[in-house]
Amino acid sequence: LEKNFTEIARICHAENIRLSDYVFAKEDEHFRDFLYEIWQVMKEEIREGLTTTGVLPGGLNVQRVAQLLYNRRHIDERPETRENRIVCAYAFAASEQNADCKTIVTAPTCGSCAVVPSVLLYMQEKKGFSDEEILRALATGGLIGNIVKQNASISGAEAGCQAEIGTAAAMAAGALTFLQGGTTRQIMQAAAFALKNMLGLTCDPVGGLVEVPCIKRNVAGVVNAISAAQLAMAGIVSAISPDDTIDSMRRIGNELPVCLKETGMGGLAVTESAKKIMKKMLNVTEMLKID
């Protein structure tokens, strides 16, 4: 497999193929079945998340809100407002399933699992894309994630949340651009836009749990991905190439202090608000201890 966007774009241009064709040519005959299984799980994690309420485990007392957001329709709600509300509800649903230790798809990680499925499911429902088209979009997004993984990182512990939510947003932006008929260049531009928007994003989970602020960052990743795809489809071009953007993420990740890399020792995790949450959690834990 070629190592970066430049090499892959050159092949796609020379052979007059799309990025999804490139991926399928590199995989075996079982790959389509694998993607179909992935897509079914992605849809199910959102559906289950939308029908489940209650408090997430872990002790932070985080309430599930996906169902509430999904059903909170205003009488005078504008179509574009509804679109944003629904796709964000999907992101809450999948992220909350992950925080509740339910079955999800790493896309590219557990902590960033909601971005890709939320964007693709909403677009399938809105535009009527077939499962075959979605599978090809998944292949495109997966290729983007693989390029980031090879040249930088998809690990929050290694490079901060930019590596997780940033990569997920890049994958979703590229997949969405593919569905909208974007060229190879536009797909790569969309991925670059989405990743650039999240460069430097820290991984600072309260209590070390994938709840605060991780769930809402998935929601932000969804909005970011959609906006990035819109920019690319409008013909806007990034001044910084996609490959250079990925390399920048790698360098920034190396420069981030350890306290901002999934340790829970910096950023939002050590605010006064977080300390109050942790104090309540410790008090409850003490009350539940059995001599």
Side-chain angles (χ1 to χ4, degrees), residues 120-141:
L120 294 184
L121 179 58
Y122 183 74
M123 290 308 297
Q124 184 177 52
E125 292 175 343
K126 179 183 178 182
K127 299 292 187 179
F129 290 111
S130 67
D131 277 346
E132 175 63 24
E133 290 172 306
I134 296 295
L135 299 191
R136 288 191 165 272
L138 278 174
T140 302

Side-chain angles (χ1 to χ4, degrees), residues 121-254:
L121 179 58
Y122 183 74
M123 290 308 297
Q124 184 177 52
E125 292 175 343
K126 179 183 178 182
K127 299 292 187 179
F129 290 111
S130 67
D131 277 346
E132 175 63 24
E133 290 172 306
I134 296 295
L135 299 191
R136 288 191 165 272
L138 278 174
T140 302
L143 176 62
I144 293 168
N146 191 59
I147 293 172
V148 176
K149 181 180 179 180
Q150 286 191 79
N151 294 283
S153 176
I154 59 170
S155 168
E158 185 175 25
C161 199
Q162 60 170 359
E164 296 200 24
I165 295 296
T167 302
M171 293 167 64
L176 177 54
T177 305
F178 169 86
L179 284 176
Q180 295 176 330
T183 64
T184 296
R185 187 188 190 201
Q186 287 173 320
I187 290 169
M188 293 179 176
Q189 290 297 317
F193 288 140
L195 185 57
K196 280 201 304 181
N197 291 340
M198 293 191 159
L199 288 180
L201 186 60
T202 60
C203 186
D204 47 357
V206 175
L209 299 173
V210 191
E211 296 182 16
V212 179
C214 315
I215 293 174
K216 293 183 180 69
R217 281 186 179 160
N218 274 266
V219 178
V222 165
V223 177
N224 177 26
I226 294 172
S227 298
Q230 290 173 338
L231 290 176
M233 290 301 295
I236 297 174
V237 177
S238 173
I240 307 299
S241 75
D243 288 325
D244 282 346
T245 301
I246 293 173
D247 187 61
S248 295
M249 192 261 271
R250 176 189 59 77
R251 288 186 287 101
I252 292 169
N254 291 338

Side-chain angles (χ1 to χ4, degrees), residues 53-88:
T53 57
V55 178
L56 294 172
L60 298 185
N61 196 35
V62 174
Q63 295 278 342
R64 282 176 173 263
V65 300
Q67 186 183 97
L68 175 67
L69 182 61
Y70 183 76
N71 293 321
R72 181 164 285 181
R73 178 181 179 183
H74 300 289
I75 295 176
D76 59 347
E77 187 175 57
R78 297 171 63 87
E80 56 270 25
T81 302
R82 179 185 182 279
E83 289 182 11
N84 186 69
R85 175 175 59 82
I86 296 300
V87 74
C88 288

